Amino acid sequence: MSKIVRAGESPAEGSPPAARTSAQGAGKAPQATATPKSQLLSSPALMRSALPRTPDLLLAPCPLDTNRTDFASTEHMLLGNAATGNELVKELRLKDGTKLSFGEVVALSGDFVGSVAELRTLAETPAGQDELIWARWLALGQGREPEPNVPAEAKKRVLLRLAGLAADNSTHFSHGGTALETYKRGHAEALRKAHEAGATGNDALFAAAVTDEACSQHFLSDTFSAGHIRAPVAEIRETYRREQPDSVNQILKYVVKRIVQSLDARGDVPWFWPRSLVESKALEAIHKNAGTIIGKFSLGDVVALACHNTDGNGLNVVSAVYPSGLPAPGGFHWRADGDSKLKPGSTTWRMALGAMRASRLELELARAQGSKTPKEPLAPVYLATRFIPRDDAAKNPVFAWRWGAMNTYMVDAINVCLREVLVTQLRRYPPEYAVVRFDNWGNLDPNGPVALHVGEAFEALCREIEADGIKVLERAVRKRSVQAAT
């Protein structure tokens, strides 16, 4: 596995020729033994990490300033720590001496670790501990702490798990997903353990209850992010899987066709190379290098992300209580902030904090009840749910998100998503070589007569998306996004 090279940095001395060509020698031909690797944005659902899928790039750093599909990790951490007074999760200890705070576990859960059971399993082995140590640094420590010295394979496992969890993120959405149900399941288990801990005087069991609670609160805090409140991501994806089942292949074929057309217009492709063969080979290379993650790069993913991002700019919502927790007759109407926009002291902060404090308090109440009346059944109240916002529908524009029947609001949202998110992420991972040379038979040859300017073709595609927006997708799937005028 090659050394990690951050974006914008030069590879270290001793890096292979291919790496030096990519970083410093734009336009230089690769060595004959090197194989150029296709770089493809993994998925709109994975925009938060934009992980390249080629094997020797799995350790590329995960940029924290990219589009996210939930509150940023630091926002989860700050809320969790503020809600509990920087409580430490006593059950978990990392081998480097790190003591995880409640907020840190909130941040890692759901994004970097799939479940509390997986968290405990990782903490039980040295290899799993390496993953947790590096995941914590990746989520919360970059730019503030030195990178931990852990094996490359541990980093790879962290990034693969991150990619998989981000690709299937409906558990992070409330009214459009299962965030509330996921929180309530975890919280109910935490309450059960707290009640039993009180009945038996078992402090270790209560510590386990706190771990469960911290994991569940990741999904609770997600319900306060504006982009997660009404975006029906699960319904969108299922509808598009049913109505546009071949959208992934259609989009990929269009991308390949446009790139080959750009090369052809430049005169790069020899006349005796069949264009259909060039396209099929390019498509084959993308599938080989991108792997199964291509299946997440669908029309439904683009639409879901556009809804999420647009609402993330701010959404009018209503809750049953005020930030103080007192009932609000007629509802408390407020405006929620989206991902990476959370500010301490804002209404979103105070509402999320109120919910998380109430949820943690309920653990203490359950332990006290178990201690006082151990045989009395526990009846969870779910105090936090009173704070959770819902769409204030009368005050928000409507998303008409079905392809072929979209409204202007939805079209504009997709255009912004494509131009400001998709193209930005694509440009993070351009083709490894600006120019690739071949012999006349299509074999890599640094001195070959055939020069394909793939960097220019890639940039032409990016400019097309910027200029045409949703029209690019319409051309790819051969169907208008809005209803045709009659």
Side-chain angles (χ1 to χ4, degrees):
M1 189 67 68
S2 58
K3 177 178 175 62
I4 299 173
V5 180
R6 285 180 172 77
E9 294 181 346
S10 299
E13 290 298 324
S15 297
R20 290 198 298 270
T21 301
S22 176
Q24 300 172 350
K28 294 183 181 179
Q31 300 297 315
T33 56
T35 301
K37 304 172 183 66
S38 297
Q39 303 278 340
L40 181 69
L41 179 65
S42 55
S43 155
L46 295 178
M47 294 274 182
R48 52 175 297 179
S49 55
L51 295 174
R53 310 313 305 159
T54 49
D56 62 344
L57 290 177
L58 281 171
L59 298 186
C62 172
L64 295 183
D65 61 343
T66 58
N67 178 74
R68 301 296 300 251
T69 52
D70 63 353
F71 270 165
S73 296
T74 50
E75 293 173 325
H76 282 295
M77 178 187 69
L78 291 171
L79 282 168
N81 286 342
T84 61
N86 297 310
E87 178 179 17
L88 295 178
V89 178
K90 298 178 181 178
E91 183 187 11
L92 301 175
R93 290 290 186 272
L94 301 183
K95 66 180 184 181
D96 66 350
T98 299
K99 297 178 180 179
L100 292 174
S101 70
F102 189 95
E104 287 176 322
V105 175
V106 173
L108 292 175
S109 300
D111 290 340
F112 294 84
V113 180
S115 66
V116 67
E118 184 174 44
L119 176 64
R120 291 189 173 106
T121 298
L122 290 171
E124 289 173 356
T125 66
Q129 285 262 337
D130 284 335
E131 293 180 42
L132 290 178
I133 289 168
W134 197 71
R136 176 191 170 276
W137 173 83
L138 185 66
L140 305 165
Q142 288 193 74
R144 294 182 291 276
E145 303 172 5
E147 181 179 357
N149 183 22
V150 302
E153 285 301 312
K155 301 176 185 180
K156 177 179 177 180
R157 289 191 295 271
V158 170
L159 292 176
L160 287 174
R161 185 166 53 246
L162 171 63
L165 291 170
D168 185 11
N169 63 350
S170 61
T171 55
H172 299 265
F173 290 78
S174 53
H175 298 285
T178 60
L180 178 57
E181 292 82 355
T182 304
Y183 157 69
K184 291 177 75 172
R185 281 196 303 271
H187 181 57
E189 178 61 14
L191 291 176
R192 184 194 67 76
K193 288 178 179 175
H195 185 267
E196 184 178 341
T200 60
N202 189 333
D203 290 339
L205 186 59
F206 187 75
V210 173
T211 305
D212 285 0
E213 177 65 16
C215 287
S216 76
Q217 286 205 17
H218 179 98
F219 305 97
L220 173 62
S221 50
D222 268 346
T223 66
F224 291 86
S225 178
H228 292 242
I229 293 168
R230 67 161 181 168
V233 293
E235 184 183 0
I236 289 173
R237 287 171 179 152
E238 177 56 35
T239 299
Y240 275 79
R241 275 193 291 267
R242 185 176 64 252
E243 298 181 357
Q244 300 281 156
D246 198 39
S247 66
V248 172
N249 287 331
Q250 289 175 310
I251 292 171
L252 282 175
K253 287 179 181 178
Y254 182 81
V255 166
V256 168
K257 180 180 178 180
R258 295 297 293 136
I259 288 177
V260 173
Q261 285 177 343
S262 293
L263 294 172
D264 207 11
R266 198 183 186 283
D268 285 0
V269 184
W271 64 267
F272 50 86
W273 284 14
R275 301 308 182 265
S276 60
L277 181 61
V278 177
E279 290 178 6
S280 67
K281 289 296 183 182
L283 189 59
E284 179 182 315
I286 291 174
H287 276 286
K288 180 180 178 180
N289 288 299
T292 58
I293 206 66
I294 280 182
K296 300 297 180 181
F297 187 54
S298 70
L299 200 58
D301 288 318
V302 174
V303 175
L305 183 66
C307 291
H308 164 272
N309 286 4
T310 301
D311 278 355
N313 293 323
L315 187 72
N316 296 304
V317 298
V318 58
S319 298
V321 298
Y322 295 110
S324 64
L326 294 175
F332 172 52
H333 297 260
W334 54 288
R335 189 165 178 83
D337 300 319
D339 304 346
S340 301
K341 297 180 176 68
L342 183 65
K343 296 179 177 61
S346 67
T347 304
T348 303
W349 171 272
R350 290 184 293 132
M351 292 297 286
L353 198 61
M356 295 169 77
R357 283 174 172 165
S359 187
R360 179 61 182 84
L361 173 62
E362 203 168 2
L363 249 63
E364 300 295 340
L365 297 177
R367 178 166 64 169
Q369 181 185 328
S371 177
K372 184 177 181 180
T373 55
K375 295 184 179 180
E376 182 178 326
L378 178 69
V381 180
Y382 299 109
L383 297 170
T385 60
R386 302 176 302 167
F387 292 83
I388 293 176
R390 65 182 186 277
D391 176 24
D392 197 350
K395 298 181 180 179
N396 294 313
V398 175
F399 281 121
W401 50 261
R402 296 186 76 139
W403 201 265
M406 289 184 171
N407 59 2
T408 302
Y409 187 66
M410 186 74 249
V411 170
D412 291 343
I414 292 176
N415 281 332
V416 171
C417 181
L418 292 175
R419 290 164 178 157
E420 297 184 2
V421 179
L422 178 64
V423 173
T424 298
Q425 294 298 344
L426 281 173
R427 283 180 170 141
R428 285 180 181 270
Y429 301 101
E432 185 171 5
Y433 305 108
V435 181
V436 183
R437 286 190 171 274
F438 298 87
D439 62 23
N440 286 328
W441 294 270
N443 301 310
L444 276 171
D445 182 348
N447 300 310
V450 180
L452 300 185
H453 292 74
V454 293
E456 290 183 19
F458 174 84
E459 178 57 27
L461 175 66
C462 290
R463 290 197 300 269
E464 179 183 349
I465 297 172
E466 286 178 324
D468 293 353
I470 198 172
K471 293 179 181 179
V472 173
L473 296 178
E474 291 178 332
R475 292 194 286 266
V477 301
R478 300 177 183 179
K479 182 178 180 181
R480 286 173 55 92
S481 57
V482 298
Q483 188 171 5
T486 56

